[in-house]
Amino acid sequence: RASNKNHPTMFGSVAALCLVSAATHVSASVIAEKDLFHASCSVKWTLAESCESAQEKIVSQMNLWDNEDCGTKPGDTSPHGQKCLYKHTGNEGLITYGTHTTPIHRYVDDLTFTFIPNDSGCLVDAYSESETLSLLDYGTNYCNLFNLMDGSGLALDPAFTEDTNDLICTQRSTADCDIY
């Protein structure tokens, strides 16, 4: 009978160990999906324009800026603008993927634009994340996205609004997109 008394306690210990193990596995999976040591930016824009047209403009702008014409010269230690070195890497329906490479250090940032049709036009849900280890980025990830919206003319849309902040967009409040 003494072993029966311990059985519930042993069962409880095994169950708790299984729960801790499962929670650790889930936590590790979540951390692997979102690495906190990469600067990033999440921003949402609303437009009156159709999503199909907005997507075409973003892709066209990526292709237009797929060049080395950054205004940077050998020996420069700071950028003079980064409206260059974009790559359109593909579309999946109303999702557009690309990269932006910084002209000085050649850091690569991954870009995703998701175009979501709504009653008044389109919601553009955009995300940029540095591939390399970085905690701060001078607003570069924001500028990666905004420069495309601005260069394509979408920032002039009559219904244009922006929703982001420093908590979901690294250093957004101090971003200077004429430089970055």
Side-chain angles (χ1 to χ4, degrees):
R1 288 219 177 242
S3 63
N4 286 345
K5 280 185 182 178
N6 291 333
H7 181 69
T9 303
M10 186 171 73
F11 176 76
S13 297
V14 170
L17 182 60
C18 288
L19 284 173
V20 168
S21 176
T24 301
H25 177 71
V26 168
S27 294
S29 297
V30 169
I31 289 170
E33 288 176 22
K34 175 63 179 137
D35 187 341
L36 299 177
F37 299 110
H38 294 269
S40 64
C41 181
S42 177
V43 60
K44 290 178 176 51
W45 289 292
T46 56
L47 305 170
E49 187 146 350
S50 75
C51 285
E52 292 79 6
S53 175
Q55 183 179 36
E56 286 176 20
K57 288 181 178 182
I58 290 297
V59 170
S60 292
Q61 196 61 52
M62 282 182 181
N63 291 331
L64 185 65
W65 286 343
D66 185 357
N67 61 59
E68 293 275 342
D69 187 15
C70 303
T72 312
K73 299 181 181 25
D76 283 349
T77 57
S78 62
H80 302 287
Q82 298 196 27
K83 295 172 183 166
C84 57
L85 298 171
Y86 280 88
K87 282 251 184 269
H88 174 242
T89 58
N91 289 345
E92 289 180 18
L94 287 175
I95 302 173
T96 294
Y97 300 98
T99 61
H100 179 251
T101 303
T102 61
I104 302 288
H105 298 290
R106 301 296 168 145
Y107 297 130
V108 178
D109 302 325
D110 296 320
L111 314 176
T112 305
F113 286 82
T114 304
F115 300 88
I116 305 163
N118 60 33
D119 293 338
S120 58
C122 188
L123 173 69
V124 181
D125 187 352
Y127 186 73
S128 176
E129 182 175 73
S130 301
E131 288 184 359
T132 55
L133 176 68
S134 60
L135 297 177
L136 301 176
D137 70 349
Y138 302 101
T140 298
N141 279 289
Y142 171 77
C143 293
N144 289 341
L145 303 168
F146 178 78
N147 285 339
L148 289 170
M149 293 291 289
D150 188 43
S152 68
L154 291 171
L156 299 174
D157 185 279
F160 182 86
T161 64
E162 177 179 279
D163 182 21
T164 193
N165 61 62
D166 284 341
L167 295 176
I168 59 172
C169 187
T170 306
Q171 295 185 292
R172 161 59 188 103
S173 63
T174 57
D176 182 350
C177 296
D178 289 330
I179 295 173
Y180 298 106

